[in-house]
Amino acid sequence: MIRPPLPRWLLLPVTAAVVFLGVPLLALLARVPWLRLPALLSAPAAVDALWLSLRTCAVTTVVALVLGLPLALLLSRGRGRWAAAGRTLSTVPMVLPPVVAGLALLIALGRREPLGGWLATGGVDLAFTTTAVIIAQTFVAMPYLVVSVEGALRSTPDDYAIAAATLGASPTTVLRRVSLPLVAPAVASGAALAFARALGEFGATLTFAGSLQGTTRTLPLEIYLQREVDTDTAIALSVVLITIAALLVAFTARFSRGAWSRP
């Protein structure tokens, strides 16, 4: 299908947007000490931060899928006040200042708070641990998966699912064989976005988990600390973060377009 051309005047704001978004990234890349990059990235603190971020973000993505997919499925079918309240609750963490999100988690699960204290008496101490990092990342990242999958489910017709149910398929079979495969690109892109958001999480992690090397100091926290003492290391780590995020975005865009599907 041939689309009508866009007005030429759009080139002006598009150019301004590209310059606005691209100049800071190009300026950062221009400052990268490329010759010292291997040495900077192999420092113990940098390796610990990168490894911790990758591990926690991988776990966060799995948790977001396990919890977020059922929530998105339910919200896509929901109507009325309760559905609206559920959508609001599931998207508020996206717009909260990260420090507020971390403070809310600390008040809810801190060892000196009622719930956190009760868990601590049972030997479950969450705050300022690696588990706290995962909780903070999941709290702010899972809504991205929920929003992506719910939007896809709402725009997908129910004809195939209805036909499968009419032919005797159980609800679980319909979900596994029909509904989820239809929105697989949205699930993949939502998971990639959740991973990317978790990878860049800073404020909630610092407030709820603290900054202990090898335990809670993720890549953004290490970049922030190195910014004050070693700018070159901070820039090198920033390049790693940008590269991972760019690869995730490229994967999301390609998979969403169905570029991997066979003709």
mmCIF file of all heavy atoms in Angstrom, residues 68-107:
data_model
loop_
_atom_site.group_PDB
_atom_site.id
_atom_site.type_symbol
_atom_site.label_atom_id
_atom_site.label_comp_id
_atom_site.label_asym_id
_atom_site.label_seq_id
_atom_site.Cartn_x
_atom_site.Cartn_y
_atom_site.Cartn_z
ATOM 1 N N GLY A 68 4.025 -9.835 35.190
ATOM 2 C CA GLY A 68 3.435 -8.841 34.306
ATOM 3 C C GLY A 68 2.520 -9.406 33.234
ATOM 4 O O GLY A 68 1.510 -8.787 32.884
ATOM 5 N N LEU A 69 2.858 -10.581 32.696
ATOM 6 C CA LEU A 69 2.012 -11.168 31.652
ATOM 7 C C LEU A 69 0.597 -11.456 32.152
ATOM 8 O O LEU A 69 -0.383 -11.071 31.499
ATOM 9 C CB LEU A 69 2.657 -12.444 31.103
ATOM 10 C CG LEU A 69 3.618 -12.267 29.929
ATOM 11 C CD1 LEU A 69 4.202 -13.604 29.509
ATOM 12 C CD2 LEU A 69 2.925 -11.603 28.761
ATOM 13 N N PRO A 70 0.417 -12.141 33.289
ATOM 14 C CA PRO A 70 -0.949 -12.343 33.782
ATOM 15 C C PRO A 70 -1.678 -11.033 34.050
ATOM 16 O O PRO A 70 -2.884 -10.920 33.764
ATOM 17 C CB PRO A 70 -0.735 -13.135 35.085
ATOM 18 C CG PRO A 70 0.577 -13.803 34.907
ATOM 19 C CD PRO A 70 1.415 -12.847 34.130
ATOM 20 N N LEU A 71 -0.958 -10.036 34.575
ATOM 21 C CA LEU A 71 -1.598 -8.745 34.832
ATOM 22 C C LEU A 71 -2.049 -8.087 33.530
ATOM 23 O O LEU A 71 -3.162 -7.549 33.447
ATOM 24 C CB LEU A 71 -0.623 -7.830 35.577
ATOM 25 C CG LEU A 71 -1.131 -6.433 35.923
ATOM 26 C CD1 LEU A 71 -2.383 -6.501 36.786
ATOM 27 C CD2 LEU A 71 -0.040 -5.634 36.626
ATOM 28 N N ALA A 72 -1.206 -8.141 32.507
ATOM 29 C CA ALA A 72 -1.580 -7.561 31.215
ATOM 30 C C ALA A 72 -2.774 -8.290 30.601
ATOM 31 O O ALA A 72 -3.670 -7.664 30.028
ATOM 32 C CB ALA A 72 -0.380 -7.607 30.263
ATOM 33 N N LEU A 73 -2.788 -9.613 30.718
ATOM 34 C CA LEU A 73 -3.920 -10.390 30.190
ATOM 35 C C LEU A 73 -5.217 -10.001 30.885
ATOM 36 O O LEU A 73 -6.259 -9.822 30.238
ATOM 37 C CB LEU A 73 -3.648 -11.882 30.370
ATOM 38 C CG LEU A 73 -2.593 -12.491 29.446
ATOM 39 C CD1 LEU A 73 -2.121 -13.836 29.989
ATOM 40 C CD2 LEU A 73 -3.161 -12.648 28.040
ATOM 41 N N LEU A 74 -5.176 -9.869 32.197
ATOM 42 C CA LEU A 74 -6.377 -9.513 32.937
ATOM 43 C C LEU A 74 -6.825 -8.098 32.614
ATOM 44 O O LEU A 74 -8.022 -7.838 32.401
ATOM 45 C CB LEU A 74 -6.113 -9.658 34.437
ATOM 46 C CG LEU A 74 -7.319 -9.443 35.360
ATOM 47 C CD1 LEU A 74 -8.399 -10.469 35.073
ATOM 48 C CD2 LEU A 74 -6.890 -9.520 36.819
ATOM 49 N N LEU A 75 -5.885 -7.160 32.551
ATOM 50 C CA LEU A 75 -6.245 -5.771 32.263
ATOM 51 C C LEU A 75 -6.802 -5.609 30.851
ATOM 52 O O LEU A 75 -7.660 -4.760 30.620
ATOM 53 C CB LEU A 75 -5.027 -4.870 32.449
ATOM 54 C CG LEU A 75 -4.524 -4.695 33.883
ATOM 55 C CD1 LEU A 75 -3.275 -3.824 33.907
ATOM 56 C CD2 LEU A 75 -5.600 -4.091 34.770
ATOM 57 N N SER A 76 -6.319 -6.431 29.914
ATOM 58 C CA SER A 76 -6.809 -6.309 28.532
ATOM 59 C C SER A 76 -8.263 -6.729 28.403
ATOM 60 O O SER A 76 -8.956 -6.303 27.469
ATOM 61 C CB SER A 76 -5.946 -7.163 27.596
ATOM 62 O OG SER A 76 -6.135 -8.551 27.848
ATOM 63 N N ARG A 77 -8.729 -7.553 29.323
ATOM 64 C CA ARG A 77 -10.129 -7.983 29.305
ATOM 65 C C ARG A 77 -10.999 -7.150 30.250
ATOM 66 O O ARG A 77 -12.226 -7.262 30.202
ATOM 67 C CB ARG A 77 -10.230 -9.453 29.733
ATOM 68 C CG ARG A 77 -9.428 -10.419 28.874
ATOM 69 C CD ARG A 77 -10.064 -10.615 27.524
ATOM 70 N NE ARG A 77 -9.320 -11.581 26.728
ATOM 71 C CZ ARG A 77 -9.554 -12.880 26.727
ATOM 72 N NH1 ARG A 77 -10.492 -13.379 27.528
ATOM 73 N NH2 ARG A 77 -8.850 -13.694 25.960
ATOM 74 N N GLY A 78 -10.363 -6.375 31.134
ATOM 75 C CA GLY A 78 -11.098 -5.668 32.164
ATOM 76 C C GLY A 78 -11.855 -4.453 31.640
ATOM 77 O O GLY A 78 -11.445 -3.800 30.676
ATOM 78 N N ARG A 79 -12.946 -4.156 32.297
ATOM 79 C CA ARG A 79 -13.751 -2.975 31.995
ATOM 80 C C ARG A 79 -14.200 -2.354 33.310
ATOM 81 O O ARG A 79 -14.249 -3.014 34.336
ATOM 82 C CB ARG A 79 -14.979 -3.341 31.159
ATOM 83 C CG ARG A 79 -14.695 -3.978 29.803
ATOM 84 C CD ARG A 79 -14.085 -2.958 28.839
ATOM 85 N NE ARG A 79 -13.934 -3.527 27.512
ATOM 86 C CZ ARG A 79 -12.884 -4.233 27.124
ATOM 87 N NH1 ARG A 79 -11.908 -4.479 27.977
ATOM 88 N NH2 ARG A 79 -12.804 -4.710 25.893
ATOM 89 N N GLY A 80 -14.530 -1.087 33.269
ATOM 90 C CA GLY A 80 -15.102 -0.454 34.442
ATOM 91 C C GLY A 80 -14.068 0.129 35.388
ATOM 92 O O GLY A 80 -12.879 0.252 35.077
ATOM 93 N N ARG A 81 -14.537 0.468 36.591
ATOM 94 C CA ARG A 81 -13.705 1.183 37.556
ATOM 95 C C ARG A 81 -12.523 0.349 38.042
ATOM 96 O O ARG A 81 -11.421 0.871 38.209
ATOM 97 C CB ARG A 81 -14.547 1.616 38.755
ATOM 98 C CG ARG A 81 -15.602 2.665 38.427
ATOM 99 C CD ARG A 81 -16.398 3.006 39.661
ATOM 100 N NE ARG A 81 -17.093 1.817 40.182
ATOM 101 C CZ ARG A 81 -17.796 1.814 41.309
ATOM 102 N NH1 ARG A 81 -17.874 2.905 42.046
ATOM 103 N NH2 ARG A 81 -18.411 0.700 41.706
ATOM 104 N N TRP A 82 -12.771 -0.939 38.293
ATOM 105 C CA TRP A 82 -11.691 -1.766 38.824
ATOM 106 C C TRP A 82 -10.575 -1.946 37.798
ATOM 107 O O TRP A 82 -9.390 -1.954 38.164
ATOM 108 C CB TRP A 82 -12.235 -3.122 39.266
ATOM 109 C CG TRP A 82 -13.117 -3.031 40.465
ATOM 110 C CD1 TRP A 82 -14.469 -3.200 40.517
ATOM 111 C CD2 TRP A 82 -12.716 -2.717 41.805
ATOM 112 N NE1 TRP A 82 -14.945 -3.017 41.786
ATOM 113 C CE2 TRP A 82 -13.874 -2.719 42.614
ATOM 114 C CE3 TRP A 82 -11.496 -2.441 42.400
ATOM 115 C CZ2 TRP A 82 -13.851 -2.457 43.973
ATOM 116 C CZ3 TRP A 82 -11.459 -2.171 43.754
ATOM 117 C CH2 TRP A 82 -12.624 -2.179 44.536
ATOM 118 N N ALA A 83 -10.941 -2.075 36.542
ATOM 119 C CA ALA A 83 -9.926 -2.191 35.495
ATOM 120 C C ALA A 83 -9.131 -0.890 35.369
ATOM 121 O O ALA A 83 -7.905 -0.902 35.204
ATOM 122 C CB ALA A 83 -10.579 -2.541 34.169
ATOM 123 N N ALA A 84 -9.836 0.235 35.456
ATOM 124 C CA ALA A 84 -9.155 1.531 35.391
ATOM 125 C C ALA A 84 -8.204 1.699 36.574
ATOM 126 O O ALA A 84 -7.079 2.206 36.423
ATOM 127 C CB ALA A 84 -10.176 2.661 35.365
ATOM 128 N N ALA A 85 -8.645 1.263 37.755
ATOM 129 C CA ALA A 85 -7.783 1.350 38.936
ATOM 130 C C ALA A 85 -6.557 0.452 38.770
ATOM 131 O O ALA A 85 -5.436 0.830 39.149
ATOM 132 C CB ALA A 85 -8.566 0.952 40.182
ATOM 133 N N GLY A 86 -6.753 -0.740 38.196
ATOM 134 C CA GLY A 86 -5.622 -1.641 37.970
ATOM 135 C C GLY A 86 -4.628 -1.065 36.984
ATOM 136 O O GLY A 86 -3.407 -1.185 37.184
ATOM 137 N N ARG A 87 -5.120 -0.429 35.923
ATOM 138 C CA ARG A 87 -4.214 0.187 34.949
ATOM 139 C C ARG A 87 -3.443 1.342 35.584
ATOM 140 O O ARG A 87 -2.255 1.528 35.316
ATOM 141 C CB ARG A 87 -4.998 0.686 33.737
ATOM 142 C CG ARG A 87 -5.579 -0.426 32.883
ATOM 143 C CD ARG A 87 -6.182 0.090 31.585
ATOM 144 N NE ARG A 87 -6.901 -0.981 30.920
ATOM 145 C CZ ARG A 87 -8.201 -1.222 31.073
ATOM 146 N NH1 ARG A 87 -8.924 -0.431 31.868
ATOM 147 N NH2 ARG A 87 -8.780 -2.219 30.451
ATOM 148 N N THR A 88 -4.122 2.111 36.392
ATOM 149 C CA THR A 88 -3.443 3.221 37.064
ATOM 150 C C THR A 88 -2.353 2.704 37.985
ATOM 151 O O THR A 88 -1.210 3.201 37.982
ATOM 152 C CB THR A 88 -4.458 4.057 37.868
ATOM 153 O OG1 THR A 88 -5.468 4.556 36.979
ATOM 154 C CG2 THR A 88 -3.766 5.212 38.565
ATOM 155 N N LEU A 89 -2.687 1.681 38.769
ATOM 156 C CA LEU A 89 -1.716 1.117 39.710
ATOM 157 C C LEU A 89 -0.508 0.539 38.987
ATOM 158 O O LEU A 89 0.638 0.672 39.459
ATOM 159 C CB LEU A 89 -2.386 0.032 40.555
ATOM 160 C CG LEU A 89 -1.504 -0.664 41.602
ATOM 161 C CD1 LEU A 89 -1.053 0.343 42.652
ATOM 162 C CD2 LEU A 89 -2.259 -1.821 42.245
ATOM 163 N N SER A 90 -0.743 -0.083 37.845
ATOM 164 C CA SER A 90 0.349 -0.749 37.136
ATOM 165 C C SER A 90 1.212 0.214 36.338
ATOM 166 O O SER A 90 2.309 -0.167 35.902
ATOM 167 C CB SER A 90 -0.210 -1.824 36.189
ATOM 168 O OG SER A 90 -1.039 -1.239 35.200
ATOM 169 N N THR A 91 0.756 1.447 36.132
ATOM 170 C CA THR A 91 1.538 2.402 35.354
ATOM 171 C C THR A 91 2.122 3.543 36.182
ATOM 172 O O THR A 91 3.012 4.246 35.703
ATOM 173 C CB THR A 91 0.681 3.015 34.227
ATOM 174 O OG1 THR A 91 -0.516 3.585 34.791
ATOM 175 C CG2 THR A 91 0.289 1.962 33.208
ATOM 176 N N VAL A 92 1.647 3.717 37.408
ATOM 177 C CA VAL A 92 2.171 4.802 38.244
ATOM 178 C C VAL A 92 3.685 4.724 38.420
ATOM 179 O O VAL A 92 4.378 5.753 38.364
ATOM 180 C CB VAL A 92 1.450 4.828 39.612
ATOM 181 C CG1 VAL A 92 2.257 5.603 40.646
ATOM 182 C CG2 VAL A 92 0.074 5.462 39.474
ATOM 183 N N PRO A 93 4.287 3.533 38.637
ATOM 184 C CA PRO A 93 5.750 3.487 38.786
ATOM 185 C C PRO A 93 6.511 4.029 37.583
ATOM 186 O O PRO A 93 7.680 4.412 37.726
ATOM 187 C CB PRO A 93 6.035 1.995 38.978
ATOM 188 C CG PRO A 93 4.790 1.454 39.595
ATOM 189 C CD PRO A 93 3.674 2.207 38.924
ATOM 190 N N MET A 94 5.877 4.082 36.401
ATOM 191 C CA MET A 94 6.551 4.613 35.220
ATOM 192 C C MET A 94 6.791 6.111 35.331
ATOM 193 O O MET A 94 7.752 6.641 34.749
ATOM 194 C CB MET A 94 5.730 4.311 33.957
ATOM 195 C CG MET A 94 5.557 2.859 33.648
ATOM 196 S SD MET A 94 4.492 2.570 32.212
ATOM 197 C CE MET A 94 5.493 3.249 30.893
ATOM 198 N N VAL A 95 5.913 6.806 36.046
ATOM 199 C CA VAL A 95 5.999 8.265 36.104
ATOM 200 C C VAL A 95 6.476 8.774 37.461
ATOM 201 O O VAL A 95 6.677 9.969 37.633
ATOM 202 C CB VAL A 95 4.625 8.899 35.764
ATOM 203 C CG1 VAL A 95 4.223 8.548 34.341
ATOM 204 C CG2 VAL A 95 3.541 8.422 36.730
ATOM 205 N N LEU A 96 6.637 7.880 38.424
ATOM 206 C CA LEU A 96 7.147 8.294 39.720
ATOM 207 C C LEU A 96 8.615 8.695 39.617
ATOM 208 O O LEU A 96 9.381 8.053 38.890
ATOM 209 C CB LEU A 96 7.041 7.154 40.734
ATOM 210 C CG LEU A 96 5.700 6.908 41.435
ATOM 211 C CD1 LEU A 96 5.845 5.741 42.395
ATOM 212 C CD2 LEU A 96 5.241 8.148 42.180
ATOM 213 N N PRO A 97 9.046 9.729 40.331
ATOM 214 C CA PRO A 97 10.491 9.966 40.444
ATOM 215 C C PRO A 97 11.148 8.740 41.058
ATOM 216 O O PRO A 97 10.616 8.158 42.021
ATOM 217 C CB PRO A 97 10.569 11.175 41.387
ATOM 218 C CG PRO A 97 9.238 11.844 41.268
ATOM 219 C CD PRO A 97 8.249 10.751 41.020
ATOM 220 N N PRO A 98 12.272 8.292 40.526
ATOM 221 C CA PRO A 98 12.898 7.062 41.029
ATOM 222 C C PRO A 98 13.161 7.075 42.533
ATOM 223 O O PRO A 98 13.029 6.044 43.198
ATOM 224 C CB PRO A 98 14.205 6.983 40.231
ATOM 225 C CG PRO A 98 13.915 7.716 38.966
ATOM 226 C CD PRO A 98 12.991 8.824 39.350
ATOM 227 N N VAL A 99 13.536 8.235 43.073
ATOM 228 C CA VAL A 99 13.794 8.304 44.511
ATOM 229 C C VAL A 99 12.518 8.041 45.297
ATOM 230 O O VAL A 99 12.541 7.389 46.355
ATOM 231 C CB VAL A 99 14.394 9.673 44.882
ATOM 232 C CG1 VAL A 99 14.557 9.798 46.392
ATOM 233 C CG2 VAL A 99 15.738 9.868 44.197
ATOM 234 N N VAL A 100 11.378 8.527 44.792
ATOM 235 C CA VAL A 100 10.097 8.283 45.458
ATOM 236 C C VAL A 100 9.767 6.794 45.424
ATOM 237 O O VAL A 100 9.281 6.227 46.413
ATOM 238 C CB VAL A 100 8.983 9.112 44.794
ATOM 239 C CG1 VAL A 100 7.626 8.769 45.401
ATOM 240 C CG2 VAL A 100 9.265 10.599 44.953
ATOM 241 N N ALA A 101 10.032 6.154 44.297
ATOM 242 C CA ALA A 101 9.799 4.710 44.200
ATOM 243 C C ALA A 101 10.660 3.956 45.213
ATOM 244 O O ALA A 101 10.186 3.038 45.904
ATOM 245 C CB ALA A 101 10.103 4.228 42.783
ATOM 246 N N GLY A 102 11.927 4.336 45.329
ATOM 247 C CA GLY A 102 12.794 3.685 46.297
ATOM 248 C C GLY A 102 12.375 3.949 47.726
ATOM 249 O O GLY A 102 12.429 3.052 48.577
ATOM 250 N N LEU A 103 11.907 5.170 47.993
ATOM 251 C CA LEU A 103 11.445 5.497 49.340
ATOM 252 C C LEU A 103 10.206 4.687 49.704
ATOM 253 O O LEU A 103 10.066 4.204 50.836
ATOM 254 C CB LEU A 103 11.151 6.993 49.441
ATOM 255 C CG LEU A 103 10.731 7.527 50.817
ATOM 256 C CD1 LEU A 103 11.839 7.279 51.836
ATOM 257 C CD2 LEU A 103 10.399 9.010 50.721
ATOM 258 N N ALA A 104 9.301 4.523 48.732
ATOM 259 C CA ALA A 104 8.100 3.717 48.979
ATOM 260 C C ALA A 104 8.472 2.276 49.297
ATOM 261 O O ALA A 104 7.905 1.658 50.214
ATOM 262 C CB ALA A 104 7.176 3.779 47.756
ATOM 263 N N LEU A 105 9.429 1.728 48.561
ATOM 264 C CA LEU A 105 9.873 0.361 48.831
ATOM 265 C C LEU A 105 10.552 0.259 50.188
ATOM 266 O O LEU A 105 10.354 -0.721 50.917
ATOM 267 C CB LEU A 105 10.835 -0.090 47.730
ATOM 268 C CG LEU A 105 10.229 -0.332 46.347
ATOM 269 C CD1 LEU A 105 11.329 -0.560 45.319
ATOM 270 C CD2 LEU A 105 9.273 -1.512 46.372
ATOM 271 N N LEU A 106 11.343 1.269 50.528
ATOM 272 C CA LEU A 106 12.042 1.234 51.809
ATOM 273 C C LEU A 106 11.057 1.309 52.975
ATOM 274 O O LEU A 106 11.212 0.610 53.976
ATOM 275 C CB LEU A 106 13.028 2.396 51.883
ATOM 276 C CG LEU A 106 13.958 2.431 53.104
ATOM 277 C CD1 LEU A 106 14.825 1.178 53.146
ATOM 278 C CD2 LEU A 106 14.821 3.688 53.067
ATOM 279 N N ILE A 107 10.021 2.148 52.838
ATOM 280 C CA ILE A 107 9.018 2.252 53.891
ATOM 281 C C ILE A 107 8.207 0.970 54.005
ATOM 282 O O ILE A 107 7.820 0.546 55.102
ATOM 283 C CB ILE A 107 8.092 3.457 53.621
ATOM 284 C CG1 ILE A 107 8.887 4.765 53.794
ATOM 285 C CG2 ILE A 107 6.885 3.449 54.543
ATOM 286 C CD1 ILE A 107 8.114 6.001 53.440
#
